[in-house]
Amino acid sequence: MSLVLYGHPFSSYTQKVLIALYENGTPFEFRCLGPDTPQHAAEWLRRWPLRKFPLLVDDERNIVETSIIIEYLQLVHPGPVRLLPADPMAALDVRFLDRFFDLHVMSPMQHAVDGALTGDPVKRQEGLAHAATKLELAYAWLEGQLAGRTWAAAGADFTMADCAAAPSLFYADWTHRISEAFPLLRAYRARLLARPSFARAVEEARQFRPLFPLGAPDRD
């Protein structure tokens, strides 16, 4: 096996793929992209000039986009944890929830982060206001969705949807706190943080918390 993952431990999308790899104990080499590893950046850009990470390399095959990477791993490097159900309709539900977390939780959070990174106080506040509006809607929908569930999708299995949910809700709660009005969602986020695969990803990224432009809270 010759899997290589290019990314950064503090990146939410990198964490999404790391969770999938850790869930199945899949052997891989991690190549961190940062100022201390210019050789990794050069190879990453040679393979994927669109400048997005993570990037998974399997021999000479380059796989991008986190959901595609996770599906690829299940097809080519399967493990004991099946992150996408065999039943087509159940798999469709998982794919929908995966997209929900990426588009309706991760994206508003990232919008606020991008506003803060500009250094412009007006853009920072606009980004936070936008995120608050969008995330409140997402939190309310998820609160109803999670009734009677341990994990995101119906059934008792941890899936690709949870791989997306973990970093999404982790950073979203830092950006716009999940209030006590959403007890099921708060409990779900706590379960995700206790999951060994995500707990490992969180711990590996702990040293980078000062980089969070909105100020990482003293928790989690």
Side-chain angles (χ1 to χ4, degrees), residues 170-192:
F170 180 70
Y171 289 114
D173 185 60
W174 285 10
T175 303
H176 177 69
R177 190 75 186 267
I178 302 171
S179 75
E180 287 76 8
F182 308 114
L184 297 180
L185 183 57
R186 287 166 64 91
Y188 173 56
R189 183 178 181 273
R191 286 194 297 277
L192 290 168

Side-chain angles (χ1 to χ4, degrees), residues 61-104:
R61 181 164 190 163
N62 303 317
I63 307 100
V64 295
E65 302 299 336
T66 54
S67 304
I68 302 301
I69 292 173
I70 292 172
E71 293 212 33
Y72 176 85
L73 287 170
Q74 181 160 298
L75 288 171
V76 182
H77 301 282
V81 179
R82 189 178 181 92
L83 295 171
L84 203 68
D87 176 76
M89 291 305 294
L92 190 65
D93 290 340
V94 168
R95 289 189 179 100
F96 163 69
L97 288 164
D98 169 77
R99 304 316 306 134
F100 183 91
F101 284 110
D102 278 4
L103 296 174
H104 301 293

Side-chain angles (χ1 to χ4, degrees), residues 24-204:
N24 278 306
T26 305
F28 71 101
E29 177 188 345
F30 185 70
R31 294 183 182 172
C32 185
L33 298 171
D36 297 333
T37 54
Q39 72 280 14
H40 293 171
E43 181 64 12
W44 162 58
L45 292 175
R46 183 186 74 80
R47 291 178 175 276
W48 189 236
L50 274 71
R51 296 178 173 269
K52 296 290 186 180
F53 58 77
L55 162 71
L56 183 73
V57 179
D58 189 4
D59 288 328
E60 285 304 309
R61 181 164 190 163
N62 303 317
I63 307 100
V64 295
E65 302 299 336
T66 54
S67 304
I68 302 301
I69 292 173
I70 292 172
E71 293 212 33
Y72 176 85
L73 287 170
Q74 181 160 298
L75 288 171
V76 182
H77 301 282
V81 179
R82 189 178 181 92
L83 295 171
L84 203 68
D87 176 76
M89 291 305 294
L92 190 65
D93 290 340
V94 168
R95 289 189 179 100
F96 163 69
L97 288 164
D98 169 77
R99 304 316 306 134
F100 183 91
F101 284 110
D102 278 4
L103 296 174
H104 301 293
V105 180
M106 195 97 78
S107 290
M109 176 277 295
Q110 190 62 56
H111 185 81
V113 167
D114 290 344
L117 285 172
T118 66
D120 183 332
V122 174
K123 290 184 178 178
R124 178 188 178 97
Q125 288 306 312
E126 287 177 347
L128 284 168
H130 173 83
T133 299
K134 296 294 186 180
L135 289 173
E136 278 293 310
L137 291 171
Y139 293 167
W141 185 84
L142 285 166
E143 183 71 13
Q145 180 75 12
L146 289 166
R149 297 185 179 187
T150 300
W151 303 113
D157 295 331
F158 187 95
T159 69
M160 179 170 70
D162 302 294
C163 295
S168 298
L169 292 171
F170 180 70
Y171 289 114
D173 185 60
W174 285 10
T175 303
H176 177 69
R177 190 75 186 267
I178 302 171
S179 75
E180 287 76 8
F182 308 114
L184 297 180
L185 183 57
R186 287 166 64 91
Y188 173 56
R189 183 178 181 273
R191 286 194 297 277
L192 290 168
L193 279 164
R195 186 83 176 186
S197 58
F198 186 47
R200 177 178 173 181
V202 168
E203 193 57 38
E204 289 172 344

